[in-house]
Amino acid sequence: MENPDDSIPAPGIEIESLAEFDAVIAGGSLAGHRVQSVDLTDRSAALLAADTSGAVFLGCRMEPDAAAKVRADGAFVFPPVPGLPFDPYRGLLYSPDALYEGLAEGGYEATPDARAYRWFQRTRANGDTFASMLRALHDDAVSDALDEVLTGARVVGVMGGHTTARGSAAYAAAARLGRTLARGGLTVATGGGPGAMEAANLGAYAAPHPDPMLDKACELLAAAPSFTPSVTDWALAAFAVRERWPDGGGSVSIPTWFYGHEPPNPFADHIAKYFANALREDGLLARSTAGVVFLPGAAGTVQEVFDNTTPNYYGSRGTPTPMVLVGRAHWTEELPAWPLLRTLAAGRPMESRIALVDTVDEAPEALARLSGRPSRPAERFRSSRAG
């Protein structure tokens, strides 16, 4: 009797760009490969000549004769979905330019980011299973692209509140933290929003530049201290900094359309934006394999503290990862998460992996101490895989 699992072809190479397609097709076969969101309308001759048995085409545009041929070969074809403000099959993470396309001409409301949020608002509660499927496909594709980008990277998460204003001492301190971590060979990952999250991504962006650049950038950004009342002005100020100091350092941000009132900051060159906030939260913390620094924040940051505590407590992800809480008064008096965290950690392997420090400037040394790893030269992760 035939095993039903045998009808599913073993996966081959993932092809996520036209250049990758051309390199593979030169060998004459796409059998078993996965082609993800690549426009193949100019590659009909190659498709008609190649073996495409068992291949999977996700959201690839093709001429009708080529699409008919690959289906006849036994390929699986998932066609593009018309009318969407996002690509559910995307093979790459977002870049700032991709999410903010059209910002200068039409303002934030004209950008793909804003249009995707409006689509989400219309469909999130209407019970449409097709819309739910599209969101799930998109978020799974983003997770796959994020894993590809972070392969081999030492990732440190920086969590903090979205209300930290540009021009404030707290914003400048978070930016210095991001720069120090990036210069120490770590890949900075944040929740991708404004405030402390943006500051950490800005610091990573500033890492290759001389030190005065960060001070000047913070000064320029202070002209638009918050994303309210104008996301357009706030975002344009960030793009002006990027234009004045190009070739910044890489970092990752992982925002969500669930909090659509919070736009993604433009300083991370790789943006993994999700519809499902729970998937985004868990994914961000799970990928912070070199530890997490928790800056002062409110409910969202408290949630992240204990979302990270639970797998460390049970050891469900292996060795507990370092956790550094910044701001003694904040975490012991204003929002006393530290006493509970310390009580939970007592007598468990995670006890030696938590620390409370007074200032942001103490966090990198505490992180290095908890991890037991010396600082290393900066590592470059796969910076080309965003679009």
Side-chain angles (χ1 to χ4, degrees):
M1 180 177 179
E2 183 182 356
N3 186 340
D5 291 341
D6 293 339
S7 64
I8 303 174
I13 296 172
E14 288 189 8
I15 299 171
E16 296 160 337
S17 70
L18 200 57
E20 291 176 344
F21 176 86
D22 289 340
V24 173
I25 203 73
S29 177
L30 290 171
H33 293 349
R34 277 64 171 134
V35 190
Q36 196 168 347
S37 192
V38 180
D39 188 344
L40 300 175
T41 52
D42 291 334
R43 296 296 188 273
S44 292
L47 290 168
L48 292 170
D51 176 10
T52 58
S53 58
V56 179
F57 295 87
L58 299 168
C60 298
R61 299 186 184 281
M62 288 183 272
E63 294 293 347
D65 57 340
K69 184 267 181 185
V70 301
R71 286 191 176 97
D73 278 353
F76 296 87
V77 179
F78 296 79
V81 181
L84 287 180
F86 63 93
D87 180 0
Y89 306 111
R90 63 178 303 112
L92 306 175
L93 295 182
Y94 293 100
S95 66
D97 288 337
L99 285 176
Y100 282 103
E101 183 181 3
L103 175 71
E105 297 79 18
Y108 175 68
E109 292 305 313
T111 66
D113 186 67
R115 289 188 284 113
Y117 175 58
R118 290 196 296 271
W119 178 89
F120 181 44
Q121 288 290 89
R122 290 195 306 271
T123 63
R124 63 188 295 185
N126 66 5
D128 181 6
T129 187
F130 183 56
S132 298
M133 182 192 74
L134 293 174
R135 292 195 298 268
L137 284 171
H138 170 274
D139 286 359
D140 186 71
V142 166
S143 291
D144 181 64
L146 182 59
D147 286 338
E148 291 176 0
V149 163
L150 294 179
T151 298
R154 293 170 55 210
V155 181
V156 58
V158 178
M159 312 297 161
H162 69 272
T163 59
T164 304
R166 294 169 171 175
S168 67
Y171 185 95
R176 291 195 304 271
L177 172 66
R179 183 177 65 185
T180 299
L181 295 172
R183 287 179 174 176
L186 296 167
T187 296
V188 172
T190 78
M197 295 173 281
E198 179 189 59
N201 288 126
L202 168 63
Y205 185 86
H209 293 280
D211 286 358
M213 171 266 173
L214 184 57
D215 295 333
K216 184 62 177 177
C218 288
E219 179 184 333
L220 294 175
L221 290 169
S226 173
F227 62 96
T228 59
S230 173
V231 176
T232 301
D233 292 345
W234 175 85
L236 285 173
F239 279 102
V241 167
R242 291 180 62 103
E243 184 176 358
R244 179 166 177 174
W245 291 282
D247 302 320
S251 67
V252 170
S253 72
I254 307 180
T256 174
W257 281 293
F258 184 81
Y259 297 124
H261 62 289
E262 293 184 15
N265 80 74
F267 288 110
D269 57 341
H270 290 84
I271 303 175
K273 191 153 192 179
Y274 287 86
F275 289 107
N277 184 53
L279 183 62
R280 166 254 191 173
E281 290 274 8
D282 183 70
L284 172 56
L285 294 167
R287 290 174 175 87
S288 297
T289 52
V292 183
V293 177
F294 297 92
L295 302 175
T301 310
V302 172
Q303 177 183 340
E304 289 161 347
V305 169
F306 291 104
D307 280 348
N308 200 52
T309 296
T310 302
N312 279 349
Y313 180 89
Y314 289 110
S316 55
R317 293 182 185 142
T319 303
T321 52
M323 299 175 63
V324 179
L325 276 63
V326 177
R328 192 172 302 273
H330 184 84
W331 294 117
T332 62
E333 299 172 15
E334 296 173 35
L335 294 173
W338 174 253
L340 178 54
L341 176 60
R342 187 172 58 181
T343 300
L344 285 169
R348 305 187 76 88
M350 70 175 290
E351 186 174 20
S352 63
R353 293 297 188 100
I354 63 172
L356 175 66
V357 298
D358 289 309
T359 67
V360 173
D361 292 337
E362 297 173 80
E365 187 280 329
L367 189 69
R369 172 169 45 82
L370 296 179
S371 66
R373 299 184 66 167
S375 179
R376 290 163 50 182
E379 298 168 312
R380 298 295 295 178
F381 61 100
R382 298 179 67 183
S383 60
S384 64
R385 303 189 72 81

